[in-house]
């Protein structure tokens, strides 16, 4: 029997958990792998096991064999794997080896990836920092050292596999339904809202940062309770805005690459940047 594989590779903060929940609800006909499938390519070496033991708090020595067996034992002609960790895998040799390894089991493999404009994704990272306890505003709003170059990532994967690119910001809370349509799955009878990190409004962010600065660091549960309550208040409808200089840097750094992605995989429609009004894009 010829078997097909759809490999959903993320990116982070684009509803991956909701998609994986839906796959689990569908049962054994699909195969959501939540642990990093790149162990298949790394070969289960001591280095790989040490690497992922640190990352996930322990990796069984026989994980590689179990993962191979799980993939090979599927009875459905169409399997689906969801692992957003793969989005970090931009080494061409890795992707080539993954194609070889999966090709031993599947005759047809395609990749599905959801992208989110870098500025919009940066806003979620700001919210994450505050929710995690950050209080220094300059650190909270500083650009991360690593930002995703979508054209490079897409090129690496498209060189080896058919690639389907979707704009997460145009799907929003309907990302599960969009994924089902793209992949050809029945929609869940259960409502599974996508829950990427919420982009908090300006007043809530600043107030949470102040709470973090004053809170007793040892009382983690109490601080998180206050954070949840403040989020629920939704103090303002005004979204936090990235400073003009930072926005200009993001737009300049990624504009050409994002346009390449739009032309090659999105029908010429640019990634929706929710950090600025639609009519200004």
């Amino acid at each position: 029997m010829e078997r097909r594989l759809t490999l959903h590779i993320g990116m982070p903060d684009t509803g991956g958990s909701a998609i994986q929940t839906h796959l689990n609800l569908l049962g054994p006909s699909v195969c959501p792998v939540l642990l990093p499938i790149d162990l298949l390519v790394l070969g289960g070496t001591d280095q790989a096991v040490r690497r992922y033991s640190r990352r996930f708090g322990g990796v069984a020595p026989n994980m590689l064999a179990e993962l191979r067996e799980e993939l090979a034992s599927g009875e459905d002609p169409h399997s689906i794997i969801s692992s957003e960790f793969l989005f970090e895998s931009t080494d061409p040799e890795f992707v080539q080896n993954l194609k070889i390894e999966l090709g031993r089991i599947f005759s047809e493999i395609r990749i599905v990836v959801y992208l989110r404009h870098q500025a919009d994704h940066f806003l979620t990272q700001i919210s994450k920092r505050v929710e995690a306890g950050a209080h220094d505003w300059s650190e909270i709003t500083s650009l991360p050292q690593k930002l995703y170059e979508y054209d490079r990532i897409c090129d690496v994967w498209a060189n080896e596999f058919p690639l389907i690119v979707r704009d997460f910001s145009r799907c929003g809370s309907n990302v599960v339904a969009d994924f089902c349509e793209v992949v050809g799955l029945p929609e869940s009878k259960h409502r599974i809202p996508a829950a990427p990190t919420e982009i908090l409004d300006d007043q809530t962010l600043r107030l949470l940062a102040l709470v973090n600065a004053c809170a007793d660091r040892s009382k983690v549960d109490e601080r998180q309770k206050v954070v949840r309550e403040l989020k629920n208040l939704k103090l303002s409808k005004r979204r936090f805005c990235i400073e003009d200089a930072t926005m200009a840097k993001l737009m300049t750094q990624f504009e050409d690459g994002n346009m390449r992605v739009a032309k090659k995989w999105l029908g010429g429609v640019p990634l929706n940047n929710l950090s600025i009004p639609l009519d200004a894009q």
Side-chain angles (χ1 to χ4, degrees):
M1 176 183 67
E2 290 192 351
R3 296 181 60 197
R4 296 180 295 119
L5 172 67
T6 297
L7 188 57
H8 168 241
I9 65 171
M11 61 177 278
D13 298 312
T14 58
S17 295
I19 289 173
Q20 290 162 1
T21 298
H22 179 63
L23 295 179
N24 281 317
L25 287 173
L26 289 178
S29 63
V30 294
C31 181
V33 176
L34 306 184
L35 287 172
I37 198 172
D38 44 358
L39 277 174
L40 281 171
V41 176
L42 293 173
T45 62
D46 290 341
Q47 179 182 4
V49 171
R50 284 197 302 271
R51 175 182 172 192
Y52 289 110
S53 292
R54 288 196 302 271
R55 188 167 180 179
F56 297 100
V59 174
N62 60 344
M63 177 196 286
L64 179 65
E66 290 179 355
L67 186 53
R68 281 200 177 103
E69 182 179 351
E70 180 182 0
L71 292 175
S73 62
E75 298 179 357
D76 196 277
H78 182 196
S79 294
I80 300 169
I81 296 173
S82 176
S83 179
E84 68 181 28
F85 301 111
L86 287 173
F87 191 77
E88 306 281 350
S89 305
T90 57
D91 178 11
E93 184 177 359
F94 164 82
V95 179
Q96 291 168 6
N97 290 337
L98 182 64
K99 181 180 180 179
I100 293 171
E101 187 71 39
L102 292 175
R104 304 179 196 277
I105 303 169
F106 301 99
S107 58
E108 181 183 332
I109 304 166
R110 61 177 175 172
I111 308 297
V112 176
V113 62
Y114 285 82
L115 300 181
R116 190 174 187 174
H117 194 283
Q118 289 88 348
D120 187 45
H121 189 235
F122 175 47
L123 288 178
T124 71
Q125 294 173 298
I126 289 175
S127 295
K128 278 184 174 181
R129 290 170 181 173
V130 174
E131 292 184 42
H135 60 85
D136 185 308
W137 197 248
S138 62
E139 293 181 4
I140 290 170
T141 56
S142 63
L143 284 173
Q145 292 184 343
K146 180 179 180 181
L147 290 165
Y148 296 118
E149 297 179 21
Y150 299 151
D151 57 328
R152 178 171 174 267
I153 293 171
C154 288
D155 280 341
V156 168
W157 285 94
N159 283 340
E160 303 298 332
F161 301 101
L163 178 67
I164 300 172
V165 179
R166 306 292 288 173
D167 183 350
F168 169 77
S169 294
R170 298 187 188 277
C171 302
S173 60
N174 296 318
V175 66
V176 173
D178 183 81
F179 181 78
C180 290
E181 182 179 351
V182 168
V183 176
L185 287 175
E187 289 193 42
S188 174
K189 297 178 181 178
H190 308 277
R191 185 177 180 274
I192 309 172
T197 302
E198 184 180 359
I199 299 175
L200 301 177
D201 65 83
D202 185 77
Q203 290 185 26
T204 302
L205 277 174
R206 294 181 185 277
L207 187 53
L208 288 178
L210 181 60
V211 169
N212 292 337
C214 301
D216 185 339
R217 292 279 175 169
S218 65
K219 298 181 178 179
V220 177
D221 291 341
E222 287 84 349
R223 189 193 68 81
Q224 290 180 344
K225 182 179 179 180
V226 173
V227 168
R228 287 195 298 270
E229 290 176 350
L230 286 176
K231 285 176 61 180
N232 290 335
L233 285 175
K234 299 186 184 299
L235 299 176
S236 169
K237 294 182 179 180
R238 179 178 178 271
R239 289 168 58 110
F240 176 76
C241 295
I242 300 174
E243 293 182 357
D244 290 344
T246 303
M247 177 64 79
K249 182 176 180 179
L250 282 170
M251 299 299 286
T252 301
Q253 182 175 350
F254 297 109
E255 184 175 11
D256 290 344
N258 286 354
M259 188 55 65
R260 285 189 62 240
V261 170
K263 289 179 178 178
K264 291 182 71 173
W265 292 288
L266 293 172
V269 180
L271 287 171
N272 185 12
N273 182 2
L274 292 180
S275 63
I276 57 178
L278 260 176
D279 56 7
Q281 295 184 41

